[in-house]
């Protein structure tokens, strides 16, 4: 066989080796994290529940999920071991300044999308001049007149013995 025919197989085997190697590193890091758990540390389970470690055994962990409420979990069900600052921030809502946030902080509203403070310059359509007030009054009168004609046309289109919503034909 020539080298050209073996090259795709060699590349495939190399790619599989690299993928299994990275997965094995992730598994080892997770196992190390679980083995470093100590009583009193805060953890997050793979189901998203936050708890405090009370006891660590070979394959299980006793967690306090609420005051005086204990549950036994498998060590594999621990998704992350949290620092004290992270745990207190998430569970108790403590606002500490020394918590480092990875990445950018996302605001709760769209104020960061505008870029400048042009709120005072935005015209929302309300006019203060006397000419505009007359135009607004005329527009209000026309707006009031239109729905009544639509309602009259709709009343003519309905048959006289039509039942309203909720009425039944049974007596």
């Amino acid at each position: 066989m020539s080298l050209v025919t073996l090259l795709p197989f060699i590349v495939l085997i190399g790619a599989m080796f690299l993928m299994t190697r990275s997965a094995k590193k992730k598994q080892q890091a997770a196992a190390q994290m679980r083995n470093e758990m100590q009583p009193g540390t805060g953890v997050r389970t793979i189901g998203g529940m936050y708890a405090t470690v009370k006891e660590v055994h070979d394959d299980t962990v006793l967690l306090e999920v609420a005051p005086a409420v204990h549950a036994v979990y498998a060590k594999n069900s621990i998704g992350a071991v949290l620092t004290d600052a992270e745990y207190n921030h998430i569970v108790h809502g403590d606002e500490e300044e020394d918590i480092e946030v990875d990445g950018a902080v996302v605001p709760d509203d769209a104020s960061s999308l505008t870029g400048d403070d042009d709120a005072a310059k935005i015209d929302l359509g309300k006019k203060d001049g006397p000419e505009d007030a007359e135009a607004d009054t005329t527009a209000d009168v026309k707006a009031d007149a239109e729905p009544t004609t639509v309602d009259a046309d709709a009343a003519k289109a309905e048959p006289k013995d039509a039942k309203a919503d909720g009425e039944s034909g049974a007596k």
Side-chain angles (χ1 to χ4, degrees):
M1 283 195 216
S2 70
L3 183 63
V4 175
T5 58
L6 291 177
L7 188 63
F9 293 113
I10 294 171
V11 170
L12 183 63
I13 291 171
M16 289 175 53
F17 174 74
L18 291 175
M19 285 190 289
T20 57
R21 185 172 174 221
S22 66
K24 191 178 287 187
K25 281 186 179 181
K26 286 181 183 179
Q27 287 177 346
Q28 287 175 348
Q32 180 182 2
M33 174 214 35
R34 290 180 184 118
N35 288 333
E36 291 177 355
M37 279 188 299
Q38 297 176 357
T41 58
V43 295
R44 181 181 65 235
T45 65
I46 58 174
M49 184 170 56
Y50 293 90
T52 305
V53 177
K54 287 297 175 183
E55 296 177 8
V56 179
H57 301 287
D58 292 335
D59 294 331
T60 60
V61 179
L62 180 67
L63 299 178
E64 184 177 33
V65 294
V69 178
H70 297 87
V72 178
Y73 278 82
K75 271 191 177 180
N76 291 339
S77 67
I78 303 300
V81 177
L82 306 172
T83 64
D84 291 336
E86 287 175 320
Y87 182 76
N88 289 332
H89 176 69
I90 293 170
V91 175
H92 303 295
D94 294 346
E95 296 292 331
E96 293 188 20
E97 297 299 325
D98 45 330
I99 296 177
E100 295 182 19
V101 179
D102 295 335
V105 177
V106 179
D108 291 341
D109 58 0
S111 63
S112 65
L113 300 175
T114 58
D116 344 298
D117 294 330
D118 290 338
K121 298 179 184 176
I122 296 175
D123 181 20
L124 298 176
K126 185 172 181 176
K127 307 293 181 188
D128 293 332
E131 303 90 29
D132 297 329
E134 291 175 13
D136 288 342
T137 309
T138 310
D140 290 340
V141 171
K142 288 181 183 177
D144 291 339
E146 288 177 11
T148 56
T149 58
V150 173
D151 292 337
D153 293 338
K156 291 178 185 175
E158 284 187 39
K160 291 185 179 182
D161 41 319
K163 294 180 177 55
D165 289 338
E167 292 183 10
S168 65
K171 291 185 181 183

